[in-house]
Amino acid sequence: MSERVQKIIAQWGIASRRQAEQMILAGRVRLNGSPAELGQKADPRSDRIEIDGVQIRPSDRPKPIYLLLNKPRGVVSTCSDPQNRKTVLDLLPAELRNDSGLHTVGRLDVASTGALLLTNDGDVTFSLTHPSHSITKVYHVWVQGNPSPRTLQQWRNGVLLDGRLTRPAEVRVLATRPPNQTLLEIILQEGRNRQIRRLAEQFGHPVVCLHRVSIGPIQLEQLPLGHYRWLNQREINFLQQQAKQPGQSRARPYPKQG
């Protein structure tokens, strides 16, 4: 069966689909001896696909992996880091780190903790990180001070950020503690860069600590910091169903990585 070349690369766990498109644009991918083009289709059973001179073979397709990690503070949500900081892959056993094509689905900044998905399923990664996607994510966030009811309502309604309004959010107070901090539960259906931290700062209530507790129906529950677990079949079915939803595969530029 013919598929787009970038999708084949993602399905083989070599890279996410965004990264695969970058590889094609950089001229690193060849199809039947010629440079591959974005959108070009191929069948790995009959066509020769090469990346940096190495051929993709149907027998090399890895078993799909779906993991949930409870990311600790100080660990970066990438698979490699130019500053040699500890990455999420460093928290996994060698048999998962080596040649499995694992990558993160979205990110948590280095100071944040909590739920982070890792997979070698490029379709799932592409769909869940596409801007049209609206999977619900729940965060528990300690902030400085005590946000007023008016501030909380503004946050719920949407706030101008980078020239456009954020989507409506659910924001409620869970607890307070000395000397002057408030625990908020924030439920988002979007994930702009450092969105919660930037809005909290904008409201005058900077984040003390930020912890993501769930991604859709996939919850951390009692998973310890720095540990991972395999997703169950119900959770995998949810992710795969998200990947099949229409409107997730529209092309867009993909310069942002790392």
Side-chain angles (χ1 to χ4, degrees), residues 70-133:
N70 191 349
K71 187 189 90 67
R73 183 183 178 92
V75 176
V76 294
S77 298
T78 53
C79 297
S80 62
D81 182 65
Q83 301 177 39
N84 293 319
R85 293 173 295 181
K86 191 172 187 177
T87 74
V88 290
L89 286 191
D90 294 324
L91 301 174
L92 304 179
E95 60 267 24
L96 288 175
R97 294 197 306 268
N98 299 332
D99 302 321
S100 63
L102 273 179
H103 46 267
T104 60
V105 182
R107 295 186 186 170
L108 284 171
D109 64 59
V110 68
S112 299
T113 62
L116 187 68
L117 295 173
L118 295 98
T119 186
N120 57 0
D121 186 330
D123 287 341
V124 164
T125 302
F126 180 81
S127 66
L128 266 65
T129 54
H130 194 279
S132 68
H133 208 280

Side-chain angles (χ1 to χ4, degrees), residues 4-24:
R4 292 183 180 182
V5 174
Q6 59 264 34
K7 185 173 182 178
I8 294 171
I9 294 172
Q11 289 174 336
W12 260 245
I14 296 166
S16 69
R17 204 181 323 175
R18 292 193 184 110
Q19 293 167 332
E21 294 195 3
Q22 290 181 329
M23 294 164 75
I24 292 171

Side-chain angles (χ1 to χ4, degrees), residues 36 43 47 54 67 85-86 89 103 116 124 141 168 179 181 206 212 248:
D43 186 338
D47 293 306
V54 179
L67 305 176
R85 293 173 295 181
K86 191 172 187 177
L89 286 191
H103 46 267
L116 187 68
V124 164
V141 186
Q181 296 179 354
R212 185 158 66 197
Q248 305 299 332

Side-chain angles (χ1 to χ4, degrees), residues 145-219:
N146 303 113
S148 68
R150 182 172 179 271
T151 294
L152 296 177
Q153 192 57 49
Q154 285 181 311
W155 203 329
R156 296 180 186 116
N157 292 341
V159 183
L160 199 63
L161 187 66
D162 295 330
R164 59 191 178 97
L165 282 175
T166 59
R167 293 183 187 177
E170 296 181 43
V171 185
R172 66 187 183 104
V173 174
L174 295 182
T176 58
R177 69 183 180 190
N180 188 25
Q181 296 179 354
T182 302
L183 176 61
L184 302 176
E185 180 178 76
I186 301 174
I187 304 177
L188 300 181
Q189 290 189 331
E190 65 179 337
R192 299 199 214 172
N193 184 37
R194 296 174 62 84
Q195 178 175 336
I196 292 175
R197 291 183 181 275
R198 293 165 67 197
L199 289 181
E201 187 77 34
Q202 189 171 311
F203 283 126
H205 299 284
V207 168
V208 177
C209 57
L210 185 153
H211 183 70
R212 185 158 66 197
V213 298
S214 65
I215 301 169
I218 303 169
Q219 301 184 19

